[in-house]
Amino acid sequence: MSQVKAVVGRGIPLVGNDIDTDRIIPARFLRCVTFDGLGAQVFADDRSQSQGQHPFDQPQYQGAELLVVNRNFGCGSSREHAPQAIAKWGIKALVGESFAEIFFGNCVAMGIPCVTAAPADVHMLQTWLADNPQFPITLDLEALQVRFGNQAITVSIGEGSRNMFLSGTWDACGQLVAQAALIQETAARLPYIAWSKTA
Amino acid sequence: MSKGTLFDKVWDLHTVGTLPSGQTQLFIGLHLIHEVTSPQAFAMLRERGLKVMFPERTVATVDHIVPTTNQARPFVDSLAEEMMQALEQNCKDNGIRFYNIGSGNQGIVHVIAPEQGLTQPGMTIACGDSHTSTHGAFGAIAFGIGTSQVRDVLASQTLALSKLKVRKVEVNGTLPTGVYAKDVILHIIRKLGVTGGVGFAYEYAGTTFEQMSMEERMTVCNMAIEGGARCGYINPDAVTFEYLKGRDFAPKGAEWDQAVAWWQSIRSDADAEYDDVVVFDAAEIPPTVTWGITPGQGIAVDQQVPTPEELPEKERSIAEEAYRYMDLQPGKPIKGTKVDVCFIGSCTNGRISDLREAAKIAQGRQVAAGIKAFVVPGSERVKQEAEAEGLHEIFKAAGFEWREPGCSMCLAMNPDKLEGRQISASSSNRNFKGRQGSASGRTLLMSPAMVAAAAIAGEVTDVRELL
């Protein structure tokens, strides 16, 4: 299990509030049994309508690894296909004004940190990236900062999630399964377990 | 911090322990799966050599991809067929109960679990679908999860979660004529905003919800997520118990009495403490229609599309985007907006009471020329019940198509889609850009009765004029 203490790479700004998961990956691309191939389809409809002007198509942002967004990013459906598509395009971390909760949880489970910053700081970072797409920036989860050029902004993330990244326990599955005895004990004290079996 | 609420009690009862990260390991009482978000989860289990820990606590059905016309196998869409086969195989391999097409029990996952009595008060319920909040109508803590978390539930019947805050959303009074549960939730989202609920569970309380049927309560809880709240719930009461009694998976005999006593005990205490409380008056809720590209962009049917000046500063940029996308003029009445397609169905409004209300409007009237109008029952049972009541004949006589159960045009992962810049009057839950299957298609959300009224008039209409 890999620790995520910092993400260093070039940034890509995507301006707009309330960008929902239907826009990130339109439903027709959910007709699949694996997540492979979703990277090419990320923002498919927004991109075709922008005719090459969508940041995900602009040459200066190809190879970027940190996505910088605005308010309520990832709202809507619980489809993990959305962060999977973003990740398969190459993104390793997100910085934004705010994230929808299920989207955030999906990112944590995939090892992709989503940190928030003050709107003015996010705007400043997006503007800087538009002017300096060629320079790497650093998300430092220990210092809770994003550093770019000679500037730095403060970012935040829930303490539990941050601990999971720093300690490399963001993939909770193994830890959860390891508690089998306690899980059985919990089930045994729930009154409905006896009367609500389904199989 | 909240104290003594149903959320607190259910959370505590289901807590397995605290993880090293500080998060809670929470036991999940009922896990619902479907074809879209589960195949990758089963694949991850296989990769890790893990087994399903509690197969008897997971139930599967198929809803998102199913065609609502020709359901013959193999499906015409080979990708949909592949997903279907993956679900069939995964359920078979892991001993999971699966309600397939034609079983008499298939339907939208959030319709079938309640109707079979699988959904019960005091449970924690998870499903790889954001509208899992629907089940909160029974006093369950129910929320949507992603595929990696579906894997976690399959493997351990638990999830790693941080506790939510609790906001009491109180609505009191009797709803005016022509105002439905859908209007109540659209109004709440309009007032509290699409991000208002982030970090919260919503407890819907007050006399308006107490007077609602279970199906109305499900409509309200269904859209908690559209207001940013991952889960919403209503305290269980006599209406809940009456609905559950005698259903397939409801407790029977002595267990029933035990269950009712327990369900009573998990209600929020009279002196429960909340992180926040907001209060609405039912009398002030109008028939509501969305005009924009988020579910929070709603107005009363007799209002005008808001001008930027009328909106708070932080809502203006998304409003500008919405005017352009929707091609609606600020300051112009929403009533009279021409529509092309009218869709009645979905996990929000595809239950029998929704179809009854829509049929009341359709009865003895005709769908306007050039309008494609169709009704998609939420489940095979809803379809059967509607047909026993003759609702399908009312719809068909009025010019509506009568379809097979599924998610249909709510999200258009199946053959039901908008085309080009078509505009739909829809009883579903999301009006996002491209949501209904065309990259430039447009959606107006409203109650099923209002959709039926729009179908008759060919344009957005105040349903109160047809009652």
Side-chain angles (χ1 to χ4, degrees), chain B residues 41-331:
Chain B
F42 283 106
M44 292 183 212
L45 283 195
R46 285 191 292 270
E47 274 164 28
R48 296 176 187 214
L50 293 168
K51 288 207 157 22
V52 179
M53 196 180 271
F54 288 77
E56 75 281 12
R57 308 219 69 82
T58 292
V59 174
T61 193
V62 59
D63 51 10
H64 288 63
I65 57 156
V66 299
T68 60
T69 47
N70 176 11
Q71 297 190 324
R73 299 285 300 279
F75 291 148
V76 175
D77 177 356
S78 61
L79 296 174
E81 177 62 26
E82 190 186 0
M83 294 168 80
M84 186 75 178
Q85 288 181 13
L87 184 62
E88 289 169 331
Q89 191 63 46
N90 286 327
C91 289
K92 190 167 164 240
D93 291 349
N94 292 283
I96 291 168
R97 180 180 286 263
F98 173 46
Y99 293 119
N100 207 339
I101 294 170
S103 64
N105 296 313
Q106 174 268 343
I108 306 175
V109 65
H110 310 308
V111 176
I112 69 157
E115 75 187 1
Q116 296 187 34
L118 286 162
T119 301
Q120 295 177 15
M123 282 183 169
T124 46
I125 302 178
C127 173
D129 190 286
S130 61
H131 293 113
T132 307
S133 55
T134 309
H135 307 268
F138 291 79
I141 299 305
F143 44 82
I145 55 178
T147 295
S148 294
Q149 291 173 313
V150 171
R151 169 204 67 201
D152 293 350
V153 179
L154 289 171
S156 73
Q157 205 61 34
T158 63
L159 284 169
L161 293 168
S162 298
K163 196 176 174 187
L164 298 168
K165 293 180 284 186
V166 186
R167 174 180 289 143
K168 186 176 180 183
V169 180
E170 203 175 309
V171 186
N172 294 305
T174 304
L175 291 172
T177 307
V179 177
Y180 303 88
K182 181 65 160 288
D183 300 302
V184 175
I185 189 61
L186 285 174
H187 185 78
I188 291 171
I189 299 165
R190 173 188 174 192
K191 295 296 177 186
L192 300 182
V194 292
T195 60
V198 174
F200 284 96
Y202 276 180
E203 175 176 310
Y204 299 105
T207 58
T208 307
F209 300 117
E210 287 164 16
Q211 288 164 22
M212 282 185 181
S213 70
M214 286 314 295
E215 297 196 349
E216 292 174 300
R217 294 177 188 187
M218 284 188 247
T219 298
V220 171
C221 292
N222 173 274
M223 289 185 71
I225 185 66
E226 312 312 335
R230 195 172 186 178
C231 92
Y233 67 89
I234 294 173
N235 280 301
D237 61 9
V239 176
T240 320
F241 310 148
E242 181 58 32
Y243 177 96
L244 275 168
K245 195 157 196 181
R247 294 201 181 251
D248 311 47
F249 290 95
K252 311 277 187 303
E255 279 186 335
W256 172 260
D257 298 329
Q258 249 180 299
V260 171
W262 182 62
W263 294 338
Q264 295 275 15
S265 76
I266 50 129
R267 287 173 52 90
S268 292
D269 297 333
D271 61 353
E273 292 169 22
Y274 297 85
D275 297 284
D276 191 32
V277 178
V278 290
V279 182
F280 294 97
D281 180 355
E284 289 172 7
I285 301 176
T288 301
V289 184
T290 63
W291 60 270
I293 53 172
T294 81
Q297 291 175 314
I299 47 174
V301 66
D302 53 8
Q303 280 185 316
Q304 288 80 36
V305 174
T307 60
E309 299 74 46
E310 291 172 303
L311 295 167
E313 205 274 328
K314 67 178 181 117
E315 287 173 26
R316 287 181 197 164
S317 66
I318 190 79
E320 296 284 356
E321 201 176 332
Y323 302 139
R324 283 195 299 275
Y325 185 82
M326 298 298 290
D327 197 19
L328 292 175
Q329 301 304 315

Side-chain angles (χ1 to χ4, degrees), chain B residues 334-339 368 371 450 453-462:
Chain B
I334 192 74
K335 202 172 131 181
T337 303
K338 300 282 179 209
V339 299
I371 302 289
M450 284 274 287
I456 304 302
E459 59 186 36
V460 176
T461 299
D462 190 335

Side-chain angles (χ1 to χ4, degrees), chain A residues 31 80 101 171 195-196 198, chain B residues 48 56-57 97 148 199:
Chain A
R31 287 152 52 245
E80 189 170 309
E101 219 159 281
D171 182 337
W195 71 63
S196 64
T198 63
Chain B
R48 296 176 187 214
E56 75 281 12
R57 308 219 69 82
R97 180 180 286 263
S148 294

